[in-house]
Amino acid sequence: MAVRSRKAALRVFSYYTFPDWEKYFKSLVSPGNGEDVYTYVRNGIQVRYSFAYIPDLNEGKTIPTLYVQRCEVEFSPSVPLKSIPSLVPEFIPPTEQSAPTFRSNLWVLIFKGEPSREADFIVKEQGKRNLAWSLAYQLFAINGIPSVLSIDTPIDRLEITTQSLQIVRTQQRLTHESTLNPYSPEFQERLSPPSPPIKSVPQPHYDD
């Protein structure tokens, strides 16, 4: 439906119609910077997919094979964390309580499955061959993740990526707080946190 290119690491995009992309712009933008965008409406929610690619430059082809490096799924409006599997059929989160899960004030990061050596190809991290890389789901909230995470926490964007659990536990331990997998039965069976008490407005007292 459209192609968009990302400017460096910023979330600043340029959008192109597919005919314009084929006719002119694809010769100006590196294959690694182009993104395919697909938009659907599911249950009244706009669900927008975008795929970022990495080219295999070792093939020696004029048009190299592209491999998906990252998939982003954006929701408009935001949706509860519990609703994402029904809106994104490709998103099958782990249900084990022990699945490595971390949070910050803006996102929840969930690792799934065993590391794969095949993931090295799509990773650009320096020294990547000394680390193990796994499938990871990162769920972002523009307005922030509340101090008490729940299955009703509003989420604006899901990123399907490859990340290293070793890096998280060693280099990023100050920003990645370990938490319980929100898609595990143990998490969903927890009692909701009590609502904070409502403070009454002080009433003035007057002498007779």
Side-chain angles (χ1 to χ4, degrees), residues 33-88:
N33 291 336
E35 295 190 354
D36 289 329
V37 179
Y38 304 86
T39 303
Y40 304 90
V41 175
R42 295 172 179 162
N43 300 335
I45 303 296
Q46 185 186 79
V47 183
R48 184 171 63 180
Y49 290 72
S50 61
F51 295 89
Y53 301 99
I54 184 169
D56 187 353
L57 301 178
N58 296 322
E59 288 183 321
K61 295 181 179 179
T62 304
I63 302 178
T65 302
L66 299 179
Y67 293 88
V68 176
Q69 185 181 39
R70 184 186 66 256
C71 174
E72 294 185 7
V73 187
E74 299 169 85
F75 308 103
S76 181
S78 59
V79 298
L81 186 145
K82 64 183 177 185
S83 301
I84 297 178
S86 64
L87 293 171
V88 185

Side-chain angles (χ1 to χ4, degrees), residues 14-152:
S14 297
Y15 285 83
Y16 313 93
T17 64
F18 197 70
D20 287 345
W21 173 261
E22 284 293 319
K23 182 178 179 180
Y24 178 71
F25 289 104
K26 74 175 182 180
S27 61
L28 302 180
V29 179
S30 166
N33 291 336
E35 295 190 354
D36 289 329
V37 179
Y38 304 86
T39 303
Y40 304 90
V41 175
R42 295 172 179 162
N43 300 335
I45 303 296
Q46 185 186 79
V47 183
R48 184 171 63 180
Y49 290 72
S50 61
F51 295 89
Y53 301 99
I54 184 169
D56 187 353
L57 301 178
N58 296 322
E59 288 183 321
K61 295 181 179 179
T62 304
I63 302 178
T65 302
L66 299 179
Y67 293 88
V68 176
Q69 185 181 39
R70 184 186 66 256
C71 174
E72 294 185 7
V73 187
E74 299 169 85
F75 308 103
S76 181
S78 59
V79 298
L81 186 145
K82 64 183 177 185
S83 301
I84 297 178
S86 64
L87 293 171
V88 185
E90 302 81 4
F91 173 56
I92 306 175
T95 56
E96 301 84 6
Q97 181 181 2
S98 59
T101 305
F102 304 87
R103 58 157 295 163
S104 75
N105 60 340
L106 290 176
W107 45 253
V108 177
L109 174 64
I110 306 171
F111 283 86
K112 180 179 180 180
E114 296 297 322
S116 171
R117 272 298 164 196
E118 295 180 357
D120 287 358
F121 178 74
I122 62 172
V123 175
K124 293 184 177 181
E125 191 82 23
Q126 197 168 18
K128 63 183 180 181
R129 295 195 178 275
N130 299 323
L131 299 165
W133 300 91
S134 307
L135 175 66
Y137 301 117
Q138 199 156 3
L139 303 98
F140 291 83
I142 292 176
N143 294 320
I145 300 293
S147 57
V148 179
L149 179 66
S150 79
I151 58 175
D152 294 312

Side-chain angles (χ1 to χ4, degrees), residues 148-204:
V148 179
L149 179 66
S150 79
I151 58 175
D152 294 312
T153 296
I155 298 296
D156 299 277
R157 187 173 88 252
L158 162 68
E159 287 191 8
I160 303 174
T161 62
T162 301
Q163 298 200 36
S164 170
L165 185 57
Q166 295 162 271
I167 290 181
V168 170
R169 287 177 169 168
T170 57
Q171 302 177 24
Q172 300 174 335
R173 60 184 182 276
L174 297 180
T175 56
H176 292 58
E177 177 187 353
S178 181
T179 187
L180 187 65
N181 175 13
Y183 291 102
S184 66
E186 293 80 4
F187 183 95
Q188 299 186 32
E189 289 171 0
R190 296 187 316 173
L191 294 176
S192 301
S195 301
I198 299 176
K199 295 183 178 180
S200 59
V201 177
Q203 298 294 322

